[in-house]
Amino acid sequence: MALFLTEEQVMLKDMAGPFLADQAPVKHLRQLRDANDAAGFSRDLWRRFGEMGLAGVLVPEAQGGGGLGHVEAGIVLEEIGRNLSPSPFLSTAVAAVTAIGGADAELRARWLPGIATGETVAAIAVDEGRRHDPANVALAAERSGNGFRLNGAKRFVVHGHVADLLIVAARTSSDVGEMRGITLFAVEKGAAGLTADPVRMVDSSIAAEMLFEDVEVDAGAVIGTVDDGWSLLTRTLDAGRVGAAAEMLGVGGAAMAMTMDYLRQRKQFGRLIGEFQALQHRAAHLYSELEIARAATLKAAQLMDADDPKAELMAAVAKAKAGKAAMLAVQEGVQMHGGIGMTDEYDIGLYMKRHRLLDELFGDTAFHAERVARLNNY
Amino acid sequence: MALFLTEEQVMLKDMAGPFLADQAPVKHLRQLRDANDAAGFSRDLWRRFGEMGLAGVLVPEAQGGGGLGHVEAGIVLEEIGRNLSPSPFLSTAVAAVTAIGGADAELRARWLPGIATGETVAAIAVDEGRRHDPANVALAAERSGNGFRLNGAKRFVVHGHVADLLIVAARTSSDVGEMRGITLFAVEKGAAGLTADPVRMVDSSIAAEMLFEDVEVDAGAVIGTVDDGWSLLTRTLDAGRVGAAAEMLGVGGAAMAMTMDYLRQRKQFGRLIGEFQALQHRAAHLYSELEIARAATLKAAQLMDADDPKAELMAAVAKAKAGKAAMLAVQEGVQMHGGIGMTDEYDIGLYMKRHRLLDELFGDTAFHAERVARLNNY
Amino acid sequence: MADEEIFRAETRAWLEANCPPAMREPVTGLDDVYWGGRNGRFSSPEQQAWFEAMAARGWTVPDWPKDYGGGGLSPSETKILREEMAALGCRSPLHSFGIWMLGPALLKFGTEEQKRRYLPDIAQGRIRWCQGYSEPGAGSDLAGLQTRAEDKGDHWLVNGQKIWTSYADKADWIFCLVRTDPAQKQGGISFLLFDMASPGVSTRPILLISGSSPFCETFFDDVKVPKEQIVGAVNQGWTVAKYLLGHEREMISAMGFGSGDPSLGRDLAERLGAFANPVLRAEVALHDVDMLAFRAMSEKFLDEFKAGLAHPAQPSMMKYAGTELNKRRLELEMAAGGTDALVWGDDNAVSRHWLRSKANSIEGGTSEIQLGIIAKHILNLPGA
Amino acid sequence: MADEEIFRAETRAWLEANCPPAMREPVTGLDDVYWGGRNGRFSSPEQQAWFEAMAARGWTVPDWPKDYGGGGLSPSETKILREEMAALGCRSPLHSFGIWMLGPALLKFGTEEQKRRYLPDIAQGRIRWCQGYSEPGAGSDLAGLQTRAEDKGDHWLVNGQKIWTSYADKADWIFCLVRTDPAQKQGGISFLLFDMASPGVSTRPILLISGSSPFCETFFDDVKVPKEQIVGAVNQGWTVAKYLLGHEREMISAMGFGSGDPSLGRDLAERLGAFANPVLRAEVALHDVDMLAFRAMSEKFLDEFKAGLAHPAQPSMMKYAGTELNKRRLELEMAAGGTDALVWGDDNAVSRHWLRSKANSIEGGTSEIQLGIIAKHILNLPGA
């Protein structure tokens, strides 16, 4: 498959871009933030995602979705990143749909249609420590009657305080740190013993710290096989990683675009600052880095869609590279804007904040560089 | 103590600089190289070092030396680096003198006067593996009669093929990789069973691979205490590291100076290339890096001279930082020179080659960054 | 005992007797320090006692002459005082742009009358100053500034707008660059002092990405400034400003590195536990190499500066390298802090410090400006 | 079976039958490849057999028209041939600046007569070409070139000097930029072809820091060149050269990344054992992230290029990023190799490759030139 967008994919981009620029531009984020909105995103907007067929991009057609792939999801996410649109798309339409895709028919029928229509919001509850480390699952699921009883805590559960569905990685056997013995559960909102403490993050989004105290779920809530959730968890996270990489390309791309505009307009010392060669060379270097990150992300998405075993390595590469390239974009963006780049009034700082969260989400550059080393046996 | 050179130290610099520029400029290196000189340096020049009082800079006055410190040795080494002067100064006057300084009176009397006069050449035989790792000593010294019998191999023994004195780190107990159980020996040239295979290195210097086959030494050859050589070995290596850092400052400083000259003279596109802002900013960054490396190296030398326990950490910092800064200097030097920088006819490439060897010698940036982490308990 | 050793012993004894234990704890935030001024408030009795004890000796500005409210200490005595304060962990008793910036400029360029009028108030923390340099259209390019001061015979009439005025909303007076000759560039600028309570002065805080508002927009609408409140000659303000910018650069470059743990990695490991990720640990170790080397540089620079050996443009190098390093440090603190660090949190949250650090390489002359100065004045590159 | 699948199967069978096993081993050095030409020597019978088999089919230049000695394959067939050659590890049968550079330029700008005269000799490796662009006074700045070609009615009279002429001492002919109008800059340059055996041509190899001499200084002293040996119109050589430089950039950017282990870290660990130093391992891992991402970029660029979707200046980005990455790779190979890597050794020693890599970001347009092109043509920055 050629490593550029097909005509259909370009059409999707041409639809999603204007939709988000119109419905959820940066102003929309500012409004939610300044109103201290408790959800952190608009449910109405999410339903609109459903109407446009975006929420169900990865949902099979049989469940009312588009039956498309991670390349298409990445196209939407890049536009989300470009507009800093607050939405549960990444956790719900990408990560949760991938997880539920590994579940039995009943769970799939239970959750996928609602996601496709934009009614349902899902969240991923994996992290327990400060830094992403998915084998480090201590939250215990013990057999109890027909089902399981969950005890423990999760943090950095993006949208967890309002999610209808939680994808929970729990330990059913083996020790903390081991890949074996992890089981995925689909836990519904309002389960007894489940509490969420919403925390405002640096980018104004909300992630919850979640406490599980004797939360009872029945056996039907198990996604996939008991004790054997690692590979589906990895696939779920990789979907999230490639998605986050795509969103960071949007973040970095927009940061670069507004910075280039500034270089073409702002004068200092009687010249347009874009005429200064030192800035030109840095801008050209940034362009190269973003282009390379874009290629890596598209490649990873294509490999995911092809179920290629190399997808895991490339997902790590994409997340690490997009994280670094977009970081350069927001850093150079603020620096080249000078003082006004430091003000809340200008958007560039919002891009820097959003990048920070996405960089950490599902593992940062250091995490994935380490993964690249391990996957290559060194 | 103020962190700049004293008047006496400036006088030393004002003496050593012209001496080396006159006696051993880059042309001297080229002559030795093109003649495929078997020693790799000039014994005559080394005697001249003795006459000038430079070879004995660290040797106590009682043994005919200058009784000065590592700051003064660094001043000489920086000028050696600037001129790419081939000489056994670093191994002999700095590292070996530091090692012998920890020996008994007999050994000191045996070796130090000859070093101070520039008669004696010494070499450091520590490395056995590909990368510097001083605990990784396998060469065995077993008790034998009144002394020891040495068996094993050393590599990267700079000047080892012509050295009158070898400082050898040998294992007398414990396992390879342990700090305990290492003993230092002073082994004389021509010892039975000792063979040297000279290897031409990338910078045209010669380092030997040395084989010890039942080499007998008597108990008087032990430097310091049996099994307990680690701290003296560390001090010896740190002396070498700070010295190599100082030499790299000379290498990097000269590379930068000739590059700045080029930027001020060479025209492209109708302008002096030094007028191009992108190059100006890179040059200014390089200047900063070299200045910082110079401060770190001087600080480390002062701490060594004060027998301060922080010297070990700062020696690691100095070696790592000078290695990085000088690497930037030679890389930017070649790049900014463009095509002619790639030719053997121009000197800049010789500086790049010399830097490479010094960067590896006694541990490179990665080695010392790791050491900085360990010394800080992380 | 040499005189210096006597002075050291006495100083230490005095500090131990007069610096309350609470004032030997690290500062927890910018609101935890005393800025003085007409509306200055002490955050604790200990803070007040410490300030008053130091101010009584003139030790808020130990090396200024006694005639101007200073401590009258020699350079070596000043160094001993600083060393002893550092050894005990004593806080600075007074934060003040008057001390850091205006004072040195007045000492060099002020008239005798100006020195006697302004310096004691600075030393005693009675007047809080702010700095009016940048303008909306002239960030790094001060030569383009447009705030006008017209000569109206007995006064200057000031009209215009400043931006990035630190704490202008809290300051009593401003030292301000104004254009007194529109026909010239740097040559048409003067350095004025005036009361922020003057009619026609207004300020508007600027909300930063870090959530704080240390800076203001400041507007001048027919502000009358007495003729004698000019430092240096008319149209010579550029000279004063350049001198002062040098001081600012030194201050900023020294800020991030005077205190705190000498090893970021050690600090992080102690606070957060051992590094689980080897790549992050390696990045921190490489940072620590650069940071420890820069500390040596800071020491060397200060030693050379005091001895008159530093290149006049060397503060640009310090400012450039120090601020870039501090930004890198905070990126690593964010990475090590992981999701904890992502919390918006209070003013002292690491996320806020991280965002704040991005201004380091912009304020007081951008990194690009500093690199240009190095290229021109130290490397003598053509056309720089 | 679709036509393409039939072609693939036939191609594979033919390659398996005709490519000797020795020609499926990786090349060990530049002397281990066949460059053709009047003095071309095969280093082994297998090399000769492989070259002759491929040349007989025109597959040294599979996508050139059959009329000009090519294979006449369609783009998709060419791709299949390349894929099957890669799958079997088949070596390129002929290294040739004629194929990589001059050929494409002749196909685009040459007259029918020129194509028939020169292209078959290139395809069959009968004539070895070199390139005469750079001059001592004009490295990155081709517009400043001074080698003169005077119109003498029935011939051009060429005088001047070139530098960095790759293998000029081994080449049969040269394609050469010359100044035909001293009054103009780029507009006064023409693109000439001539025999290196012409009276007045002399060469002198340049010894490089890597110890090899792939480049020469080349001198022209009253060299007579027949009038028809010009490609494109008089004074239009710049257009030809720019087109050709694009090809060169693609070639260079593809060079370091077409083969070899996909992970430097894996390769080093397999050859040298596990990394003992965690910092070096981390640096290699970060390199591998960049390298694997760049491989995806190379694939994307080629796909877009073939589909006509690549930005015309994108080869500059590829050249810049690819060469900088290759330099970094070789620094890491040196570090990992430690003292072994420091040995001067033979032509294939890693120390030689490391030194050679430093030219990557200079030849074919420096990194600085590429960044300028990106800034101007892709980012549309003013005055770039």
Side-chain angles (χ1 to χ4, degrees), chain A residues 5-156:
Chain A
L5 301 187
T6 63
E7 271 181 50
E8 292 76 19
Q9 289 163 346
V10 171
M11 282 171 60
L12 174 64
K13 185 181 176 71
D14 290 345
M15 182 268 272
F19 165 68
L20 287 159
D22 180 56
Q23 300 282 314
V26 178
K27 199 172 59 177
H28 176 64
L29 167 67
R30 287 184 180 277
Q31 283 162 350
L32 290 172
R33 179 191 77 167
D34 295 344
N36 204 17
D37 183 87
F41 64 92
S42 155
R43 281 266 182 183
D44 279 348
L45 176 68
W46 184 230
R47 272 182 220 104
R48 211 79 51 81
F49 270 80
E51 288 159 17
M52 302 288 287
L54 297 177
V57 60
L58 282 173
V59 172
E61 293 181 56
Q63 270 95 16
L68 299 171
H70 294 278
V71 173
E72 287 80 6
I75 289 168
V76 178
L77 279 161
E78 185 165 344
E79 298 308 318
I80 286 175
R82 204 182 307 284
N83 292 283
L84 299 181
S85 313
S87 97
F89 185 89
L90 179 58
S91 64
T92 307
V94 178
V97 168
T98 303
I100 293 291
D104 57 25
E106 205 172 321
L107 273 183
R108 294 205 305 276
R110 166 76 185 85
W111 291 110
L112 294 178
I115 289 177
T117 60
E119 283 303 316
T120 302
V121 168
I124 306 296
V126 172
D127 289 344
E128 300 184 14
R130 187 178 290 119
R131 284 175 54 86
H132 184 64
D133 183 4
N136 188 25
V137 166
L139 185 140
E142 292 181 329
R143 286 199 187 265
S144 159
N146 177 39
F148 293 82
R149 183 186 296 121
L150 277 56
N151 274 291
K154 293 286 179 184
R155 62 161 126 184
F156 199 39

Side-chain angles (χ1 to χ4, degrees), chain D residues 36-289:
Chain D
R38 291 173 190 150
N39 304 309
R41 293 255 169 77
F42 295 103
S43 60
S44 69
E46 290 86 352
Q47 193 187 58
Q48 180 166 7
W50 173 228
F51 167 76
E52 287 173 354
M54 288 290 277
R57 300 197 133 206
W59 281 9
T60 52
V61 285
D63 56 343
W64 289 10
K66 287 201 171 185
D67 282 357
Y68 309 137
L73 299 190
S74 70
S76 63
E77 286 170 335
T78 304
K79 188 168 181 235
I80 288 168
L81 172 60
R82 296 233 159 89
E83 285 167 358
E84 292 304 317
M85 285 177 69
L88 288 178
C90 302
R91 293 182 180 183
S92 165
L94 178 61
H95 280 222
S96 160
F97 295 120
I99 292 174
W100 300 327
M101 304 171 78
L102 178 61
L106 281 174
L107 282 166
K108 187 167 175 77
F109 299 101
T111 62
E112 183 60 28
E113 199 185 333
Q114 287 173 333
K115 290 177 194 175
R116 292 189 179 274
R117 176 170 175 195
Y118 298 112
L119 292 175
D121 279 349
I122 292 173
Q124 295 298 315
R126 286 189 290 259
I127 294 294
R128 182 170 178 177
W129 288 86
C130 64
Q131 175 204 55
Y133 278 21
S134 296
E135 298 187 2
S140 290
D141 180 16
L142 285 180
L145 66 82
Q146 301 190 340
T147 293
R148 283 295 312 278
E150 287 172 85
D151 186 344
K152 293 290 184 183
D154 65 334
H155 67 271
W156 301 101
L157 191 67
V158 179
N159 277 287
Q161 182 182 351
K162 294 286 173 184
I163 196 167
W164 309 123
T165 339
S166 300
Y167 302 114
D169 52 337
K170 302 191 173 85
D172 305 313
W173 277 60
I174 189 168
F175 49 98
C176 189
L177 289 177
V178 294
R179 180 158 298 287
T180 37
D181 182 350
Q184 299 185 64
K185 285 190 169 181
Q186 276 101 332
I189 293 171
S190 299
F191 193 99
L192 291 192
L193 313 176
F194 54 92
D195 196 321
M196 291 290 279
S198 309
V201 177
S202 58
T203 63
R204 186 164 65 197
I206 301 167
L207 181 61
L208 294 187
I209 58 176
S210 61
S212 64
S213 300
F215 304 108
C216 293
E217 293 178 280
T218 306
F219 305 90
F220 308 127
D221 183 17
D222 281 344
V223 179
K224 290 183 185 175
V225 177
K227 282 301 276 287
E228 72 277 13
Q229 290 176 197
I230 186 168
V231 180
V234 175
N235 292 336
Q236 294 297 309
W238 184 245
T239 311
V240 184
K242 266 201 305 186
Y243 176 80
L244 214 149
L245 273 174
H247 266 268
E248 188 177 359
R249 263 163 219 160
E250 283 163 49
M251 185 185 77
I252 290 173
S253 60
M255 250 170 67
F257 301 93
S259 61
D261 191 280
S263 157
L264 175 61
R266 178 197 290 256
D267 177 45
L268 290 172
E270 282 172 1
R271 285 194 287 120
L272 311 175
F275 287 90
N277 182 286
V279 177
L280 179 60
R281 175 179 171 276
E283 289 180 329
V284 170
L286 289 165
H287 163 274
D288 276 354
V289 166

Side-chain angles (χ1 to χ4, degrees), chain A residues 130-131 155-156 199-202 266 268-269 282 331 335 338-340 342-344 349 353 356 366-367 370, chain C residues 136 139-141 164 206-209 272 277-278 331 335-340 342 344 354-355 361-362 368-369:
Chain A
R130 187 178 290 119
R131 284 175 54 86
R155 62 161 126 184
F156 199 39
V199 180
R200 181 73 65 178
M201 307 306 272
V202 70
R266 165 82 169 172
Q268 289 255 292
F269 306 102
R282 279 159 53 187
Q331 289 176 343
Q335 179 68 23
I340 65 157
M342 288 297 298
T343 64
D344 184 72
K353 293 172 179 183
R356 238 306 150 202
F367 176 86
E370 177 66 22
Chain C
S140 290
D141 180 16
W164 309 123
I206 300 167
L207 181 63
L208 294 188
I209 57 176
L272 310 176
N277 181 286
E331 289 290 350
T339 55
D340 281 357
L342 291 174
W344 184 230
W354 163 65
L355 289 163
S361 52
I362 296 170
E368 291 77 15
I369 294 284

Side-chain angles (χ1 to χ4, degrees), chain B residues 207-284:
Chain B
E209 301 190 356
M210 306 206 69
L211 200 60
F212 293 72
E213 291 173 303
D214 289 330
V215 175
E216 303 272 355
V217 297
D218 66 30
V222 172
I223 307 174
T225 322
V226 174
D227 282 350
D228 217 15
W230 179 257
S231 72
L232 181 59
L233 173 60
T234 299
R235 191 169 162 75
T236 300
L237 293 171
D238 280 347
R241 288 157 180 162
V242 176
E247 188 171 341
M248 286 193 285
L249 293 177
V251 169
M256 170 152 170
M258 75 181 65
T259 304
M260 293 305 107
D261 280 348
Y262 190 72
L263 291 185
R264 293 186 206 104
Q265 288 162 17
R266 166 80 169 173
K267 282 197 174 190
Q268 289 255 290
F269 305 102
R271 292 163 66 190
L272 292 168
I273 57 175
E275 291 180 55
F276 288 101
Q277 194 199 33
L279 298 190
Q280 289 181 350
H281 282 200
R282 281 160 53 187

